[in-house]
Amino acid sequence: MVELLVVLHIPIHQLHLMQDFLKMQLNRILKYGNETQELLKWASRSGNLGLRVLWLILHFAVTICKVRYLAMVIDSEEAQELSKVFELLQWVADIGVKSVCLYDPEGVLKKNKEPITQRFSSANLSEEAAVNGRLVTRRNLTLEFVSFEDGKEAVAKAANYLFVKHYANGTKEKSDFTEPQMAEALGAIGSGGAEPDLLLIYGPTRCHLGFPAWRLRYTEIVHMGPLKSMSYGSLVKAIFKYTMVHQNYVTSSCGTSMMRKIDLTDAASIVCILLRMFFFDCRTKVKRYLLACMSN
Amino acid sequence: MTKKIGDQAGKMFEYFGSFLRKCIFSVLSVGPVPDHIAFIMDGNRRYAKKRNLLDGAGHRSGYLALMNMLKYCYELGVKYATIYAFSIDNFRRRPEEVQSTMQLILEKIEDLIKEESMVNQYGVRIYFLGSLKLLSKPVRLAAERAMVATSGNSKSVLSICLAYTSSDEILHAVQECCGEKWDEGSALESKGAGNGLVFLKGNENGKIKPSIVVKDLEKHMYAAVAPDPDIIIRTSGETRLSNFLLWQSANCLLYAPPILWPEIGLWHLIWAVLDFQRNFSYLKEKTKLS
């Protein structure tokens, strides 16, 4: 090498300079290489972290359905279009809701209880699967059918029930009726039922059309528009929005609402912590890399 | 001198605003005007937090907003207004918060029954709806005084729900109906009519004839002083009714603007009324069917 350079008439001191220059550049490349390697390692760790975050978000998204009991108020005229009702219920089942209360004032859905229930019962589904020779996993729905007569009329019947129970012995009881007694009376006459978490109104107006008052106390009410223009996206959005709502009250079923809050808070805080870690880490590493590049 | 000019400018601005409102309301009145509007005044505490105000200042701002809204309603021709002032559930808040809210309510009830107040200006009769026995004595007595003082007014009605929930209202109505039926039955028995025995102990088949009907319950509801609301407005974008007028809101338009109560203004009322007018025929049809 030296002989070659001598042959090329390059002076020795310039050779040393060139050597030093090359060494410096090599060191710089190696140093960058170290930094780059560190960055790549960090990127790989962050990538794993990012994947983990995405996994959590995905599971969170899949389990966004914290709606234990969903109610749907459908305008009676629109409820006559059963194909739309079937489609809507299928979407609801796909999202993961287990229990649905269907209400229309005139009882159209109640009259069509048979075909609707058959469509979503597990017995028929397994028959279908056997016939087709494929295993089909479908979510099943518990359906409740309610109409206007289950509202005010039911309360009147419950009042008569309470009268017979507490006044039939011939003496007038002095203590006032309580909410549990009323709930028991409604259950006894066949109009009991849980309070829905969320009530979706499918109709032209934001109006609950006489949904049983006793079961509407703290229910979130969302107007979805007419049934004919229903969309899967707006259904998911409504249910997702419900899960983000913080309720500022203490209900009579305080424990249940608190438990729901804890689930949401835990999941949300995990996601927030991981996201914060990811972005903070990202910012720090990039900053260090840039500083290192600039100083060299 | 500057103050006089300022006062005059203020008065002119008020006259202009009032004139503009009259013009808008005369246009709105071409269509159906709601007879009864109910308000859930949500967001006072959040408003105070947002504006870094002291505790209680949010409620005071809310009171000013309420007076404006009531004024607009009565100018428009809305005869009945109902407000959700204090729920039975609110008693579960911190004692000092409950105390300060009660103090404010007491103060404002006294203001309402003054001669020069908006209530007398618009001929408003005040009712307090709810389980008033749960209130402290000074507030309960003030409420009773307000009801007596305004009993001569007949142009409009203001129902103030205090210590109220719908479930308590329904229970109260059921209790009253049962008591009434018992008294009727006892009276018949004492006259020897015999029907009372049938009524109380059942007929030969052992079945009790249903005697309490929906109309009996509605007669005993706290909110029987007014017809069912046409619009319920709940501010702060919340979509719950929170145990307010559940029995009466079967065919009522629910409107939930995403603003805090102290921020509510004339335009929100106009929007609610326009929405009501667009849906009037549908709601009327549903009311007839029920």
Side-chain angles (χ1 to χ4, degrees):
Chain A
M1 175 74 172
V2 173
E3 289 85 3
L4 179 65
L5 289 170
V6 164
V7 163
L8 291 172
H9 300 289
I10 296 170
I12 298 286
H13 71 277
Q14 280 191 3
L15 283 175
H16 285 302
L17 279 173
M18 273 176 71
Q19 204 173 25
D20 287 337
F21 174 76
L22 283 169
K23 265 186 192 168
M24 199 173 72
Q25 292 307 315
L26 193 64
N27 282 337
R28 191 184 268 184
I29 288 164
L30 284 171
K31 205 171 182 184
Y32 279 155
N34 283 339
E35 287 290 334
T36 313
Q37 270 180 20
E38 263 194 53
L39 190 69
L40 285 171
K41 272 184 202 167
W42 162 80
S44 159
R45 275 200 306 272
S46 301
N48 288 338
L49 195 65
L51 280 172
R52 186 152 181 81
V53 166
L54 285 171
W55 178 82
L56 273 170
I57 291 170
L58 186 68
H59 274 263
F60 183 64
V62 161
T63 55
I64 59 167
C65 192
K66 293 292 183 182
V67 177
R68 271 178 285 261
Y69 196 31
L70 175 71
M72 296 201 284
V73 169
I74 304 176
D75 177 66
S76 293
E77 272 181 41
E78 295 190 31
Q80 283 166 7
E81 221 174 314
L82 281 183
S83 57
K84 284 282 183 188
V85 176
F86 289 149
E87 196 181 350
L88 180 62
L89 286 172
Q90 190 55 62
W91 288 348
V92 164
D94 289 344
I95 288 170
V97 176
K98 301 281 183 224
S99 302
V100 175
C101 174
L102 287 171
Y103 172 89
D104 78 280
E106 290 165 39
V108 169
L109 295 169
K110 235 186 205 177
K111 287 173 198 159
N112 290 291
K113 187 176 171 178
E114 283 268 337
I116 297 173
T117 322
Q118 270 181 7
R119 182 89 175 223
F120 291 94
S121 76
S122 57
N124 285 344
L125 282 172
S126 56
E127 272 178 310
E128 265 185 295
V131 163
N132 293 335
R134 284 189 321 162
L135 188 63
V136 175
T137 307
R138 279 209 201 161
R139 298 210 176 124
N140 302 316
L141 283 179
T142 307
L143 294 170
E144 186 190 355
F145 295 86
V146 177
S147 63
F148 191 79
E149 64 195 21
D150 296 304
K152 293 183 180 181
E153 294 286 346
V155 173
K157 284 180 195 166
N160 285 302
Y161 174 90
L162 285 168
F163 180 81
V164 166
K165 191 174 177 185
H166 294 270
Y167 289 71
N169 58 6
T171 54
K172 187 177 177 181
E173 288 197 13
K174 287 199 177 147
S175 58
D176 291 342
F177 294 135
T178 60
E179 286 187 24
Q181 284 175 324
M182 187 68 194
E184 186 221 323
L186 285 166
I189 56 132
S191 291
E195 194 171 319
D197 300 308
L198 177 63
L199 185 132
L200 304 178
I201 299 174
Y202 283 95
T205 314
R206 191 162 182 267
C207 170
H208 65 74
L209 301 177
F211 190 87
W214 197 258
R215 298 169 67 181
L216 200 54
R217 290 173 286 180
Y218 303 102
T219 304
E220 298 287 337
I221 301 171
V222 179
H223 182 218
M224 305 295 287
L227 189 67
K228 61 184 178 206
S229 53
M230 64 182 193
S231 73
Y232 184 72
S234 53
L235 176 65
V236 170
K237 189 179 165 187
I239 292 176
F240 183 72
K241 205 173 165 189
Y242 164 78
T243 59
M244 307 310 289
V245 166
H246 279 282
Q247 300 213 0
N248 198 16
Y249 64 89
V250 179
T251 63
S252 55
S253 57
C254 171
T256 317
S257 68
M258 281 304 293
M259 275 184 65
R260 182 167 68 223
K261 240 177 159 171
I262 287 165
D263 287 338
L264 283 172
T265 314
D266 278 347
S269 62
I270 287 167
V271 171
C272 286
I273 286 164
L274 284 170
L275 281 171
R276 244 198 334 258
M277 278 168 57
F278 175 71
F279 286 115
F280 179 75
D281 207 12
C282 176
R283 203 174 63 185
T284 317
K285 289 290 180 188
V286 167
K287 216 173 167 177
R288 270 194 215 154
Y289 178 72
L290 287 171
L291 280 171
C293 290
M294 276 161 60
S295 61
N296 294 316
Chain B
M1 181 68 179
T2 320
K3 197 183 173 193
K4 266 190 182 172
I5 296 169
D7 286 344
Q8 279 174 358
K11 275 184 183 168
M12 277 188 66
F13 189 73
E14 207 181 301
Y15 288 142
F16 179 71
S18 175
F19 173 73
L20 193 65
R21 269 201 313 275
K22 276 188 186 150
C23 295
I24 294 169
F25 290 160
S26 50
V27 172
L28 274 182
S29 302
V30 171
V33 172
D35 209 25
H36 181 182
I37 300 181
F39 298 94
I40 302 177
M41 304 178 292
D42 197 9
N44 294 308
R45 290 184 298 172
R46 272 170 279 177
Y47 179 83
K49 231 182 208 175
K50 189 174 156 186
R51 297 285 174 112
N52 294 319
L53 302 173
L54 294 169
D55 285 345
H59 288 97
R60 287 180 193 280
S61 307
Y63 177 77
L64 293 171
L66 171 64
M67 289 297 111
N68 286 332
M69 289 306 285
L70 291 176
K71 190 169 73 175
Y72 302 150
C73 285
Y74 298 135
E75 282 178 4
L76 176 58
V78 175
K79 189 170 177 187
Y80 299 91
T82 303
I83 60 171
Y84 200 7
F86 197 84
S87 163
I88 292 175
D89 295 331
N90 292 150
F91 281 112
R92 292 174 191 163
R93 288 184 180 172
R94 289 176 296 124
E96 49 274 14
E97 194 183 331
V98 172
Q99 177 65 25
S100 86
T101 310
M102 284 294 140
Q103 192 54 43
L104 178 68
I105 289 171
L106 181 62
E107 194 185 303
K108 295 309 170 193
I109 292 173
E110 299 292 348
D111 283 345
L112 279 176
I113 54 179
K114 280 180 189 162
E115 201 53 49
E116 65 278 8
S117 75
M118 188 260 314
V119 154
N120 287 317
Q121 192 185 343
Y122 290 95
V124 181
R125 183 168 182 176
I126 295 179
Y127 288 101
F128 283 89
L129 314 181
S131 197
L132 301 185
K133 61 181 187 260
L134 296 175
L135 299 170
S136 61
K137 198 173 174 186
V139 178
R140 193 172 63 247
L141 290 176
E144 283 163 12
R145 270 201 314 275
M147 286 195 277
V148 166
T150 59
S151 56
N153 296 339
S154 57
K155 277 189 189 167
S156 321
V157 171
L158 172 62
S159 306
I160 303 174
C161 292
L162 214 50
Y164 171 95
T165 55
S166 244
S167 39
D168 180 67
E169 182 183 28
I170 292 169
L171 274 176
H172 166 81
V174 167
Q175 188 76 57
E176 290 293 304
C177 284
C178 289
E180 201 176 67
K181 292 302 167 192
W182 167 268
D183 292 338
E184 275 175 22
S186 300
L188 283 167
E189 243 189 90
S190 63
K191 282 180 187 170
N195 284 340
L197 275 172
V198 169
F199 178 80
L200 289 170
K201 290 169 187 172
N203 58 14
E204 283 172 6
N205 295 334
K207 287 184 185 174
I208 300 291
K209 288 181 197 171
S211 178
I212 299 171
V213 292
V214 171
K215 273 192 182 158
D216 296 329
L217 290 170
E218 289 186 333
K219 208 171 56 182
H220 289 289
M221 291 281 171
Y222 294 136
V225 296
D228 289 350
D230 297 303
I231 310 174
I232 294 181
I233 300 177
R234 179 175 186 156
T235 48
S236 76
E238 299 289 351
T239 57
R240 304 181 293 279
L241 284 172
S242 292
N243 223 336
F244 180 62
L245 298 181
L246 302 177
W247 182 275
Q248 295 83 358
S249 58
N251 299 303
C252 166
L253 178 69
L254 309 173
Y255 175 54
I259 39 106
L260 303 173
W261 174 255
E263 295 165 349
I264 197 167
L266 175 65
W267 302 109
H268 301 103
L269 179 67
I270 291 169
W271 186 257
V273 172
L274 286 171
D275 205 9
F276 166 77
Q277 289 179 341
R278 280 204 305 268
N279 293 291
F280 179 72
S281 49
Y282 176 81
L283 291 169
K284 197 175 173 186
E285 193 193 315
K286 293 298 165 190
T287 311
K288 275 185 193 161
L289 285 169
S290 60

